[in-house]
Amino acid sequence: MMDLHTHLDLYPNALRLAQKVNESNSFTLCVTTSPRAWKATSAVFSKYSNIWVALGLHPEVVARKFEEREILLQNISVSRYIGEIGLDGSPQYTASQFLQKKIFDDVLSEVTRHGGKVLSIHSRRAVSAVLSSLKTYPKVGIPILHWFSGSLAELREAINMGCYFSVNMLMASSMKGSALISSMPRDRVLPESDGPFAVQNGAPLSPIGSNDVAQKLSTIWNVPKEEVLRGFDKTLQHILRFP
Ligand code: MN
């Protein structure tokens, strides 16, 4: 099993859970919301061989943590994975749009300078702006759009640009989400939880939930679950081989 976008460090029982996740999942990408959190979490999780901590600065906290920009940019060279980064166009973050774009573009530029990375990208209500930044930096590596919620036209554009997608149970359980998933290339989709932020039936989505995601995708795509799981493995291997 695997999880390509989890905030594992933010679960209430993170330390105990991490041990379980490390045993159950062959790969877990723990994205962080700030470079300081990345430092602290990297130290705690370094003993887990199947858990990778990605360096990020979440668009929702860019306004509050803009002063961490230097730590962010300085550590891109030493971080194998980058996330959570991106743009959020929701009304409550309109005030920080300029700073968000500044940080996002700076990160893409620095990532490009280091030959590209695997990136987990947030694009809520800001897909076209995210894609336009990605177009400016076409050599960022492998962009994975996490919890994509744009239009079908935006999805087609992202596909044409070579983007990957990580999808979770909430997305796969909604009408709009499953319609989007049905149009995604099966070899570019990976499972995520986005827990503990993503909550279903009163509980945060589990980082050990890729079998459930595969079950949903098997229905949406009308292929056996085993084929979906094999696809996850193949796509993961492709991504892990980068560069
Ligand atoms: Mn997230």
Side-chain angles (χ1 to χ4, degrees), residues 5-7 31 33 58 84 120 122 146-147 192-195 197-198:
H5 184 111
T6 176
H7 298 270
V31 294
T33 54
H58 198 295
E84 179 161 2
S120 186
H122 177 110
H146 115 83
W147 201 338
E192 66 159 48
S193 64
D194 203 18
F197 296 133

Side-chain angles (χ1 to χ4, degrees), residues 2 27 94 97 114 145-146 155 178 181 191-192 217-218 234:
M2 64 185 80
F27 182 87
T94 316
Q97 261 173 8
H114 291 284
L145 300 182
H146 115 83
L155 174 65
S178 48
I181 290 168
E192 66 159 48
L217 300 198
S218 122
K234 226 175 138 190

